[in-house]
Amino acid sequence: MTLKSTLRSRKRIALAGNPNTGKTTLFNRLTRSNAKVGNYPGITVERAVGELDLPGAGRVEVLDVPGTYSLSARSPEEQVAIQAIAGLHPLERPDAVLLVVDGTQLTRNLYLALQVIEIGVPLVVAVNMSDMLRERGQVLDAGALARELGVPVVEICALSGEHLDELRKTLDETLEVPARGCPGPRWSPTSEALLADVAAVEQAVPAEWLRHGGKGGDEARRRRVMALWALLSLDEHDEVVGVPESLRAAVRERRRLASDEGRDIETEIIRGRYDWIDARASAFLRSERAAAPSITDRVDRVLLNPALGFVIFLVMMGVVFQSLFSWADPAIGLVEQAFGWLQGLAVRTLPPGIFADFVTHGLIEGVGSVLVFLPQIMLLFFFIVIMEDSGYMARVAFLMDRLMKSLGLHGRAFVPMMSGFACAVPAIMATRTMERRRDRMLTMMVVPLMTCSARLPVYSLLIGALFPPRDIFGVVPVQGLLMVGMYLFSTIVALIATAVLGRTLFKGPRVPLLLEMPPYRIPHWPSVLRSMWLRSKVFMTEAGTVILACTVGMWLLLSFPRDPGIQARFDAERAEAATEQPAGAVLEERIAALDREQAGAELRASYGGRLGHWTEPVIAPLGFDWKIGVGLIGAFAAREVFVGTMGVVYGMGDRVDDQSVGLRRRISEEAHADGRPVYTPLVGLSLMVFFALACQCMSTVAVVKRETKSYRWPAFLFAYTGILAWLASFAVYQGGRLLGFG
Amino acid sequence: MSLDALTPGSAARLVSIGGERSFRCRLMELGLLPGIEVRVIRRATIGGLLELEVRGCRLSVRQGEARLLTVDAANA
């Protein structure tokens, strides 16, 4: 509780603004390096809190409010803005609001400023990028704007950091004398009809929404604010939470009455605010000369060109893709090497036994399997943040919308879907760039179907072992063709799954796409790196703990129960070998072989091994035996672990990889009790199809759990991909047998 | 006429917005109120998005939604 009480004694500033105003850059510039990122309660909207030191107020907390064009809400995600600024449950009322407005899009940005002023929280307006107004032949008179709004206005440049000292000073003064940032409402309803509507709805505003309002006049003001909010936010289709039915009924009733009179309440309110702004715009915005074509116009002529734009986009995607595939590789290798070294160290220093085994294979491997994702996550977020901050992401959505719309998604889903080819974990985290919950969910449910890089070692092992290098028609290599085929297969299934899920489980009202095309801007590099780092940290702390727990669980499953009989039997065999052979290379080799055989025997006797046995009736129709079942269980830790697990199952040690000739030969020679080979090309194909579709990846499941805040969605993902995989493998294997293959 | 009938580069005054309430509110809160000048900047490939300029801000909407916006080209 001590932490909470220190936080409460600190002043709190809410940082708000429209999207694409440089709000995040300003947050990163203003706050110290120890910002904390989490989620707002109950939803997956990123909540960043930082600390800012002010000369007078001391250390204050800065809460980054998600970018929004207005305080109206249609979903719990959009509700965050009104909660964070007005201090509605579950969020606390800020001591001041810092509103970032885009100087080049002033009238639209001021709409939000008027709403914040209506609430009556002390406000400071920071006008960002007003220097760019000159491009349009306009000049801002910040003094006039401050007079009209009745709140302090500071012109800043978040990118270069200019005038931030002045901004800090103004914030400090406003925290000291809140009245400076707290004028009366700039606009309020004047027409008798609208006043009657608002008064009627005010009666239904619940008492707990007024609690933070303070005494006397404040409460009446807050009542009005919430009534106006309700009139703009609530209707029969909204997903807003915590609204009493009586308030909904009041809104419905007034809307019906107004409609009978041919009035539209929403238009009257919104027009009222915009009329106030437009009437005063000439006072603070002066046109000096005709606008010149902007840089954005010239760049868009190329980047949004129907032909060239696509080519450039594909090249850029190629770079992102290539980086996830190969540039991340050295870093991944480094992480793996470091953890291999740590494991070696643990083996050398700890006394051999169950504890050493736990540390090396449970703990170190667990932490390693979390950190191994970091290079790809950081790279993908690096590109995504650049695309977002530069304004290019909106262009990607513009170019790809036609294609994604046919799948029931919109253009923004393209980047996460594409990233799924590298790794589902960062791709699922990238779904956050979409505003709508339904779009995020749908994308998360299909991204794991894309062929990620962890499937490659499995494909490569099976193709290498079962399909001899041969060319069709003398030019097309069979092995390469199979690999391409697996990619095509998974992509087609993912697209079909998107279309089907989007029309069934995620069926909902079609929401129109409104896509802002912000001007191109140069990203602020320290801010890009910081955003990238904060998101990676979230992965490590939240998804990482689940992955770690699962790794330890897998270790328990595959190493218990310990059968002393096996140990005794192999000890005896080792002793016997030692008496038969003189010490030397031959004996060492014999002992090593016995060690590997022991590991295989122990695995087969473990819970995991038994589970493999139990699964045999289920997987036999797919052409798999119980040993493959053990491999599939091991693969849940991560698909590529399949290769190592099969190595152990076949008594070859866990140091095999997909290129290892021994394992490939072992697989092609493995036979059933009656002498039939276990692996025919048909079984190999069936197994690859299973790997292509099943979400056998606890990290993916953990990340979906983290991003959806529920157990239901990860469970659904695991179940539906598992069933799909089983059915497809069944069709391949049994169909193939009917056709006389295998 | 509907907004989607405008050729890229031309402007017109917004007369009314149709469609669902939430869609109308969203557009109005972005400043698209009847009487405002709307310019069509470009179209994406066939059936795709339409980029508009309103109040110096750029905004893309789908063709289907653009049909819900009635404009008066003569009064631009």
Side-chain angles (χ1 to χ4, degrees):
Chain A
M1 280 286 104
T2 41
L3 180 71
K4 214 163 186 180
S5 51
T6 27
L7 288 181
R8 200 154 287 159
S9 67
R10 279 189 202 160
K11 298 248 162 127
R12 207 177 285 117
I13 294 175
L15 176 60
N18 285 14
N20 311 307
T21 47
K23 185 168 66 68
T24 306
T25 304
L26 181 64
F27 177 82
N28 285 333
R29 277 224 181 249
L30 277 182
T31 58
R32 290 145 40 92
S33 58
N34 58 350
K36 291 189 176 48
V37 178
N39 275 328
Y40 281 96
I43 46 170
T44 38
V45 172
E46 208 155 77
R47 175 181 186 273
V49 181
E51 288 173 345
L52 161 69
D53 288 322
L54 294 174
R59 187 156 293 174
V60 298
E61 208 180 297
V62 182
L63 171 70
D64 191 13
V65 180
T68 182
Y69 298 109
S70 93
L71 295 181
S72 315
R74 287 150 200 94
S75 64
E77 283 80 6
E78 290 179 346
Q79 239 176 316
V80 167
I82 181 88
Q83 288 167 345
I85 290 170
L88 292 176
H89 179 79
L91 302 179
E92 286 182 76
R93 185 186 168 95
D95 296 287
V97 174
L98 171 56
L99 187 76
V100 191
V101 303
D102 181 341
T104 63
Q105 326 220 304
L106 210 51
T107 54
R108 190 195 69 202
N109 279 250
L110 288 180
Y111 182 81
L112 183 59
L114 287 200
Q115 283 187 305
V116 177
I117 290 172
E118 284 169 30
I119 289 179
V121 189
L123 174 66
V124 172
V125 172
V127 184
N128 195 14
M129 301 175 282
S130 56
D131 50 333
M132 311 252 286
L133 268 175
R134 252 161 256 145
E135 209 176 66
R136 302 194 177 179
Q138 289 177 312
V139 171
L140 171 73
D141 182 343
L145 180 59
R147 274 194 300 282
E148 296 293 348
L149 290 179
V151 303
V153 173
V154 184
E155 279 184 273
I156 61 158
C157 179
L159 187 61
S160 69
E162 271 172 89
H163 307 301
L164 292 195
D165 282 331
E166 197 186 331
L167 179 62
R168 282 190 205 96
K169 206 175 121 244
T170 311
L171 280 172
D172 212 11
E173 287 164 1
T174 310
L175 286 172
E176 182 77 21
V177 191
R180 284 195 191 175
C182 231
R186 300 290 89 179
W187 168 84
S188 29
T190 44
S191 86
E192 242 168 73
L194 186 58
L195 273 170
D197 293 327
V198 174
V201 174
E202 277 177 358
Q203 298 310 310
V205 171
E208 66 261 28
W209 287 7
L210 310 172
R211 210 168 288 155
H212 290 286
K215 54 211 174 301
D218 239 354
E219 193 180 305
R221 179 170 181 172
R222 202 175 165 86
R223 207 179 265 286
R224 169 147 301 178
V225 166
M226 295 316 298
L228 289 170
W229 177 83
L231 280 166
L232 287 187
S233 298
L234 305 178
D235 62 23
E236 35 313 347
H237 301 302
D238 77 69
E239 294 162 13
V240 168
V241 292
V243 176
E245 183 46 39
S246 54
L247 181 59
R248 287 185 179 279
V251 169
R252 252 195 321 267
E253 173 65 9
R254 294 315 295 193
R255 215 172 264 153
R256 194 184 55 77
L257 287 175
S259 147
D260 288 348
E261 294 168 18
R263 291 171 51 234
D264 186 60
I265 300 176
E266 294 90 322
T267 310
E268 287 177 21
I269 298 171
I270 299 169
R271 179 171 285 286
R273 291 181 182 137
Y274 266 108
D275 279 350
W276 188 94
I277 297 167
D278 290 337
R280 286 155 185 85
S282 58
F284 48 78
L285 262 186
R286 284 199 315 275
S287 292
E288 299 210 315
R289 58 191 160 76
S294 68
I295 295 168
T296 296
D297 270 332
R298 276 174 284 173
V299 175
D300 266 346
R301 235 166 267 158
V302 178
L303 291 187
L304 293 182
N305 179 290
L308 194 57
F310 267 103
V311 174
I312 295 174
F313 169 63
L314 288 179
V315 170
M316 287 204 212
M317 277 293 107
V319 170
V320 172
F321 208 40
Q322 182 65 16
S323 77
L324 294 182
F325 259 117
S326 45
W327 301 354
D329 243 19
I332 293 172
L334 226 61
V335 171
E336 282 170 347
Q337 261 176 26
F339 280 86
W341 178 82
L342 266 178
Q343 281 178 324
L345 187 75
V347 168
R348 280 196 302 278
T349 49
L350 294 170
I354 191 72
F355 179 69
D357 206 37
F358 168 71
V359 171
T360 46
H361 288 109
L363 221 51
I364 299 181
E365 203 151 304
V367 177
S369 56
V370 173
L371 292 186
V372 86
F373 286 109
L374 263 194
Q376 285 183 326
I377 287 181
M378 287 170 80
L379 265 172
L380 180 60
F381 277 117
F382 178 72
F383 287 116
I384 285 183
V385 175
I386 291 179
M387 285 199 277
E388 294 269 14
D389 287 8
S390 64
Y392 188 63
M393 193 62 109
R395 275 75 188 179
V396 171
F398 185 85
L399 289 172
M400 299 312 296
D401 188 67
R402 185 72 194 89
L403 177 72
M404 301 310 285
K405 190 182 143 202
S406 58
L407 297 175
L409 281 170
H410 69 73
R412 273 184 185 256
F414 187 79
V415 171
M417 292 271 269
M418 185 88 181
S419 311
F421 280 118
C423 178
V425 171
I428 283 168
M429 292 179 70
T431 57
R432 298 187 152 214
T433 52
M434 287 180 274
E435 300 98 36
R436 246 181 101 206
R437 186 178 162 80
R438 176 247 177 216
D439 295 343
R440 283 204 305 269
M441 293 293 176
L442 177 53
T443 313
M444 272 187 241
M445 291 301 119
V446 295
V447 156
L449 289 171
M450 310 300 258
T451 298
C452 69
S453 50
R455 279 154 169 127
L456 288 177
V458 179
Y459 292 167
S460 150
L461 172 74
L462 292 172
I463 292 175
L466 303 173
F467 299 91
R470 193 159 53 82
D471 292 343
I472 301 177
F473 311 126
V475 278
V476 187
V478 170
Q479 296 188 329
L481 195 68
L482 270 170
M483 203 60 120
V484 173
M486 291 313 295
Y487 269 98
L488 271 179
F489 172 70
S490 80
T491 311
I492 291 169
V493 173
L495 296 185
I496 295 173
T498 314
V500 170
L501 287 176
R503 281 167 179 75
T504 53
L505 195 60
F506 295 100
K507 203 175 164 187
R510 220 168 50 86
V511 171
L513 177 76
L514 285 180
L515 183 70
E516 193 198 348
M517 310 286 278
Y520 287 108
R521 268 149 200 169
I522 296 161
H524 178 236
W525 296 105
S527 181
V528 169
L529 293 177
R530 194 180 184 206
S531 298
M532 174 186 94
W533 173 242
L534 287 177
R535 291 188 205 189
S536 310
K537 219 166 73 180
V538 167
F539 165 75
M540 281 193 289
T541 52
E542 296 191 36
T545 44
V546 181
I547 297 174
L548 179 62
C550 287
T551 315
V552 173
M554 288 301 299
W555 173 79
L556 287 172
L557 209 57
L558 296 177
S559 22
F560 284 91
R562 303 237 137 183
D563 183 350
I566 295 176
Q567 182 73 32
R569 202 177 82 222
F570 279 91
D571 280 346
E573 282 196 39
R574 271 186 289 260
E576 197 188 309
T579 55
E580 283 171 6
Q581 292 276 348
V586 182
L587 177 63
E588 266 171 40
E589 211 168 282
R590 175 78 188 122
I591 298 276
L594 281 171
D595 286 349
R596 290 198 297 269
E597 275 178 43
Q598 184 183 348
E602 279 172 348
L603 176 62
R604 288 191 291 267
S606 71
Y607 292 120
R610 290 181 206 177
L611 259 172
H613 268 294
W614 293 336
T615 56
E616 199 169 55
V618 182
I619 57 175
L622 315 181
F624 310 160
D625 70 351
W626 68 270
K627 291 178 188 172
I628 297 179
V630 178
L632 289 180
I633 291 167
F636 184 61
R639 288 181 185 92
E640 64 270 31
V641 171
F642 178 77
V643 178
T645 313
M646 289 322 276
V648 177
V649 170
Y650 294 139
M652 311 191 63
D654 56 3
R655 312 214 78 143
V656 290
D657 64 29
D658 57 297
Q659 303 298 326
S660 114
V661 180
L663 183 58
R664 284 187 179 184
R665 191 181 306 135
R666 185 72 169 77
I667 280 180
S668 55
E669 287 170 359
E670 175 75 2
H672 286 291
D674 59 6
R676 281 181 303 117
V678 169
Y679 294 91
T680 60
L682 186 61
V683 171
L685 201 60
S686 167
L687 192 52
M688 287 198 289
V689 164
F690 191 88
F691 264 93
L693 303 182
C695 181
Q696 278 170 306
C697 174
M698 61 179 187
S699 308
T700 303
V701 175
V703 156
V704 170
K705 190 226 150 232
R706 198 257 159 201
E707 292 293 312
T708 58
K709 294 253 156 220
S710 85
Y711 287 97
R712 231 179 53 206
W713 291 113
F716 170 74
L717 172 68
F718 187 68
Y720 108 84
T721 55
I723 293 168
L724 200 62
W726 193 92
L727 289 175
S729 288
F730 183 84
V732 165
Y733 183 68
Q734 299 298 345
R737 288 205 339 164
L738 281 180
L739 293 173
F741 297 105
Chain B
M1 68 194 287
S2 86
L3 181 69
D4 106 297
L6 281 187
T7 49
S10 57
R13 282 210 185 273
L14 184 63
V15 176
S16 69
I17 308 175
E20 276 189 39
R21 196 198 76 91
S22 64
F23 172 67
R24 279 187 291 120
C25 279
R26 231 177 245 271
L27 280 184
M28 287 194 292
E29 292 202 307
L30 287 169
L32 270 93
L33 287 150
I36 197 90
E37 189 185 270
V38 184
R39 180 180 298 276
V40 175
I41 303 294
R42 62 168 58 77
R43 276 165 197 279
T45 40
I46 303 136
L49 296 174
L50 209 66
E51 187 181 347
L52 317 172
E53 188 178 78
V54 183
R55 293 178 179 270
C57 310
R58 299 283 172 90
L59 196 68
S60 292
V61 293
R62 286 184 177 148
Q63 208 166 31
E65 270 92 54
R67 272 190 214 114
L68 300 171
L69 275 71
T70 311
V71 293
D72 180 2
N75 244 324

